[in-house]
Amino acid sequence: MDTIVVGAGIAGITAARLLHAAGRRVVVLEARDRVGGRIWTDRTAGFSVDRGASWIHGLTGNPLTELVTALGMRTREFTVGSFQAGGRPIADYDESRRLLDDDATRMWTTDVETADDRLQLTVAASGPAESYATAAERALAATGWEPERAERVRAFYRHRTEEQCGAEIEQVAAHALDEDAVEGDEVIFPGGYDVLPRRLAEGLDVRLGKTVTAVIRSATGVRVDTENESFEAAHVLVTVPLGVLKAGAIEFTPALPDAVAGPIARLGMGVFNKVFLQFPDRFWQDHAYAIRQHGRAGVPWHSWYDVSAVSGRPMLLTFAGGAWGREIEQKTDEEVVSSVLGSLRGIYGDSVPTPVAHWITRWGIDPLALGSYSYVAVGSSHDDHDAMAGPVDGVLHFAGEATWGREPATVHGALRSGHRAAERILGSPISLAELTRGMNPSD
Ligand SMILES: Cc1cc2nc3c(=O)[nH]c(=O)nc-3n(C[C@H](O)[C@H](O)[C@H](O)COP(=O)(O)OP(=O)(O)OC[C@H]3O[C@@H](n4cnc5c(N)ncnc54)[C@H](O)[C@@H]3O)c2cc1C
């Protein structure tokens, strides 16, 4: 065997497919009974519910754009997937749960733009020991706004880090969202995101139900142990999530050097969970992409996304990130649903019907993820992401969203990291077009 790939998420599948296209013998070991990892489409109800990733965060300059076109995957424009304040119709409710009119909405989005401009300057002047919270406070102080106006933007910043990083604003480094710009429209997948990893895995040697417990490297290559089998190869590419590495679920022998172990310890693994509610009837505005509750009334639930176009049923999606994301994992489904309904009824009144179905994720306690995605914690930097990739002793490589500093926490970041790892293992460039060579477009 030339290469063993650990993990059949988008990073692992991308690397394996490129190596296979270059004529290398590759085996992929995956602990779950499915490929895709944090891309996971639930079709138990007869339509697609994406419990992991939903969006392509920006079509421009994104390798996913060509890939999903080549595979013929249906997409739908939905450009509010990165916690934007405006840009698309959003039904914004103020602290007293009154709908903002057009003027008030314009003023709100302008306020976020003004504060963001100042925030960029304060972030640029910040070091790695400074938090996003500190930088945001300096930016807000510089606006000279009265407390309520500043508080609305402050709450927005808190929620933005909870969603984009899965962590509290005080835990996240000032520079954590530097890479967060979205270029072009965003889209989601009515047919489910998992079509992507499933199609890319076609024809590869993927062994499901194989939990890797140890990686041993020597002068001649590597040995990889699962619970009841061992595999040997010249290279190993480990793509398990950062949470799994932090927990020490895989034993590395010899121990990982500081150049890799340091970033694993310093970077943060955030928690971001989804709650989908399917309703018998639609009770919210027809043309709003999202509903947003501002200020203190937006704790703990503040944003609902109309994903009816994906399922063809009246459906809202809301998120729980950071500490609240971890807290809901300890609650029953009934407790979570009733808590979300309480907030919706605060806005739309008691006529909000009881949902006919719900889907709630718990990524933080999933032993094969132990979190949703990585973030630049206070004391770490984007360079830590890339340093994590290795290689170690020329034989041990890492890939996955946490190893891609320019766009961590995304599907395209994970994909690019898999591409980089394949090129390093091959020792020569290979085009991403090799991923879909000879494949037919079909959804
Ligand atoms: C709720 C949620 C929403 C998201 N939304 C978006 C979005 O809209 N857009 C976007 O771009 N990104 C989004 N992301 C992030 C995106 O899903 C990830 O960045 C990306 O899918 C990670 O791919 P990966 O290959 O790095 O890791 P993974 O997909 O996690 O793959 C790693 C694989 O390793 C396996 N594994 C773990 N331990 C072992 C072991 N010991 N032995 C063998 N196998 C093991 C896992 O089962 C998994 O299949 C979201 C993530 C979550 C959780």
Side-chain angles (χ1 to χ4, degrees):
M1 193 58 61
D2 295 316
T3 304
I4 299 163
V5 175
V6 182
I10 196 68
I13 293 290
T14 299
R17 193 164 190 89
L18 292 172
L19 290 167
H20 178 74
R24 298 293 174 98
R25 287 170 306 142
V26 188
V27 63
V28 183
L29 304 177
E30 166 56 54
R32 299 186 198 268
D33 61 1
R34 60 173 179 83
V35 302
R38 282 169 279 171
I39 300 177
W40 178 23
T41 309
D42 184 336
R43 294 188 180 80
T44 46
F47 50 82
S48 307
V49 176
D50 270 312
R51 302 177 69 103
S54 299
W55 273 273
I56 295 185
H57 290 308
L59 293 174
T60 309
N62 192 324
L64 288 171
T65 307
E66 274 171 42
L67 204 48
V68 304
T69 307
L71 294 176
M73 289 171 66
R74 267 184 308 134
T75 58
R76 189 169 178 110
E77 186 274 325
F78 203 87
T79 312
V80 287
S82 302
F83 210 63
Q84 295 91 332
R88 292 292 186 277
I90 295 177
D92 287 289
Y93 287 85
D94 71 9
E95 290 72 2
S96 317
R97 298 192 159 117
R98 278 189 307 257
L99 185 64
L100 300 194
D101 62 20
D102 288 351
D103 285 347
T105 304
R106 246 190 314 276
M107 185 175 149
W108 153 245
T109 49
T110 309
D111 274 2
V112 173
E113 280 164 22
T114 306
D116 270 350
D117 287 345
R118 293 196 184 268
L119 184 54
Q120 264 188 11
L121 298 176
T122 57
V123 165
S126 304
E130 202 153 359
S131 74
Y132 199 73
T134 318
E137 282 312 317
R138 279 214 310 276
L140 288 173
T143 63
W145 290 335
E146 72 276 10
E148 192 174 325
R149 192 169 171 194
E151 176 55 29
R152 202 184 270 182
V153 178
R154 180 179 292 113
F156 179 77
Y157 283 164
R158 296 196 79 83
H159 298 323
R160 186 158 78 186
T161 48
E162 287 157 12
E163 294 212 351
Q164 300 302 91
C165 304
E168 299 302 302
I169 194 164
E170 294 83 7
Q171 299 174 292
V172 167
H175 284 282
L177 284 105
D178 285 2
E179 85 294 339
D180 207 39
V182 170
E183 306 290 341
D185 282 352
E186 294 173 286
V187 296
I188 52 176
F189 297 91
Y193 215 147
D194 76 341
V195 173
L196 177 66
R198 286 197 292 114
R199 293 282 327 264
L200 295 181
E202 283 172 10
L204 297 179
D205 181 1
V206 181
R207 318 265 175 104
L208 299 176
K210 299 283 179 206
T211 304
V212 169
T213 53
V215 171
I216 301 112
R217 53 187 199 279
S218 68
T220 53
V222 289
R223 196 186 88 210
V224 173
D225 294 344
T226 68
E227 280 153 337
N228 47 23
E229 232 177 320
S230 288
F231 297 81
E232 290 188 358
H235 294 269
V236 62
L237 171 62
V238 175
T239 72
V240 304
L242 176 63
V244 173
L245 292 173
K246 276 180 174 292
I250 298 178
E251 189 183 356
F252 291 92
T253 309
L256 292 175
D258 283 350
V260 173
I264 290 174
R266 281 192 294 276
L267 290 166
M269 186 65 176
V271 170
F272 169 78
N273 279 311
K274 293 180 157 182
V275 180
F276 292 88
L277 298 180
Q278 182 191 340
F279 291 96
D281 304 297
R282 193 185 172 91
F283 57 85
W284 59 95
Q285 292 85 342
D286 262 344
H287 301 296
Y289 279 58
I291 301 153
R292 190 161 287 147
Q293 172 63 64
H294 290 266
R296 276 175 288 276
V299 177
W301 307 103
H302 49 82
S303 302
W304 293 266
Y305 298 83
D306 183 352
V307 289
S308 315
V310 175
S311 60
R313 278 91 179 153
M315 249 170 106
L316 291 177
L317 162 63
T318 187
F319 301 126
W324 179 238
R326 289 185 195 273
E327 217 175 307
I328 68 157
E329 297 189 344
Q330 306 305 322
K331 297 183 187 295
T332 63
D333 280 18
E334 290 65 33
E335 286 170 331
V336 175
V337 170
S338 120
S339 169
V340 180
L341 279 181
S343 295
L344 280 172
R345 287 179 178 146
I347 299 174
Y348 290 98
D350 289 341
S351 59
V352 170
T354 302
V356 294
H358 64 262
W359 294 257
I360 301 171
T361 69
R362 291 180 175 82
W363 287 100
I365 55 173
D366 177 333
L368 300 173
L370 295 174
S372 301
Y373 33 69
S374 62
Y375 67 91
V376 180
V378 172
S380 65
S381 76
H382 285 279
D383 294 341
D384 280 334
H385 284 296
D386 295 298
M388 246 187 80
V392 180
D393 297 339
V395 296
L396 165 60
H397 304 254
F398 290 87
E401 58 83 15
T403 71
W404 191 256
R406 262 178 58 76
E407 294 134 326
T410 62
V411 172
H412 56 277
L415 179 118
R416 286 189 196 276
S417 77
H419 184 202
R420 174 182 61 193
E423 291 191 330
R424 284 182 177 169
I425 291 168
L426 288 171
S428 59
I430 182 164
S431 165
L432 267 181
E434 292 299 324
L435 282 180
T436 49
R437 185 180 294 281
M439 291 180 93
N440 293 323
S442 68
D443 200 343

